[in-house]
Amino acid sequence: MIWFSSKTPGFEWLSNFFMRPFLLDGVRWPSVEHCYQAQKYAGLPAVVDAIRHAASASLARKAGQNTSLTPRADWGSAKGDVMRRAVEAKFAQHADLQALLLSTGDLELVHESAADAYWGRLRSGPGENRLGLIVMQIRAELRSRRLVARARSLPEWVVLHVPHDSTGIPADVTSQFALS
């Protein structure tokens, strides 16, 4: 098991606060936290822009939790997809982060948070660990894509001895992994 937060030496890169820019829907975000907090106020361009330009992920979080602002009406149902898309974009656009994520093997990834039982979990108690679950799902998808890519690059003489579909990928590989 790997416990992570923005302050975990060696694993801070798993955190939403890790400053690694990425593009999502044509917009450059400095961190996942910037993107997540700003999306609460989609439809309020000045607020989104202010959060996106916050000097740090901590300041983006603080701006996004401003109680004088009202989050978008569907935020409760949309926040999971928003988080997933931002985390996926972060890892998809940085090969070094992909390699680090894949190096965690099959270990459970747990976002340690005393303040947020929805996205994280306490070491000594409850929590849903939704962020950890998203990161583990992305890790599994990265691993699957690499296996499919590896299968596609096999020499023809290897593939000829294994039943395969019209793409030239062994049938047992295509039946296990969705091609995208």
Side-chain angles (χ1 to χ4, degrees):
M1 181 178 306
I2 295 173
W3 292 86
F4 70 92
S5 73
S6 61
K7 296 177 176 118
T8 309
F11 294 102
E12 62 278 351
W13 53 271
L14 286 164
S15 166
N16 290 347
F17 284 64
F18 189 67
M19 297 292 283
R20 187 59 72 92
F22 60 91
L23 289 173
L24 185 60
D25 298 330
V27 178
R28 185 181 183 277
W29 298 98
S31 74
V32 170
E33 193 67 19
H34 283 82
C35 182
Y36 177 80
Q37 294 297 336
Q39 295 312 305
K40 289 180 184 179
Y41 308 103
L44 299 173
V47 175
V48 169
D49 202 47
I51 293 171
R52 185 168 66 91
H53 288 99
S56 69
S58 295
L59 290 173
R61 180 175 186 231
K62 186 176 181 180
Q65 294 180 335
N66 182 339
T67 56
S68 71
L69 298 171
T70 302
R72 62 195 233 196
D74 69 341
W75 184 241
S77 63
K79 67 184 181 181
D81 185 54
V82 167
M83 180 68 79
R84 176 167 174 50
R85 292 184 70 229
V87 172
E88 184 174 32
K90 169 184 153 181
F91 284 102
Q93 295 171 34
H94 296 285
D96 60 327
L97 295 181
Q98 288 178 31
L100 285 169
L101 182 56
L102 290 170
S103 76
T104 64
D106 291 322
L107 293 173
E108 182 179 5
L109 304 175
V110 182
H111 173 52
E112 184 173 14
S113 177
D116 193 341
Y118 180 81
W119 292 115
R121 191 168 90 199
L122 288 170
R123 286 184 189 246
S124 61
E128 295 182 45
N129 190 36
R130 298 274 180 117
L131 178 57
L133 294 172
I134 287 171
V135 176
M136 288 186 290
Q137 183 181 23
I138 290 167
R139 178 182 62 193
E141 290 170 6
L142 283 170
R143 189 179 296 131
S144 294
R145 288 181 196 142
R146 287 188 177 201
L147 287 173
V148 169
R150 208 174 298 143
R152 285 185 173 149
S153 68
L154 289 173
E156 184 64 27
W157 63 269
V158 173
V159 178
L160 289 175
H161 298 300
V162 180
H164 57 279
D165 66 11
S166 61
T167 65
I169 299 173
D172 61 328
V173 173
T174 57
S175 65
Q176 292 174 10
F177 307 110
L179 298 177
S180 54

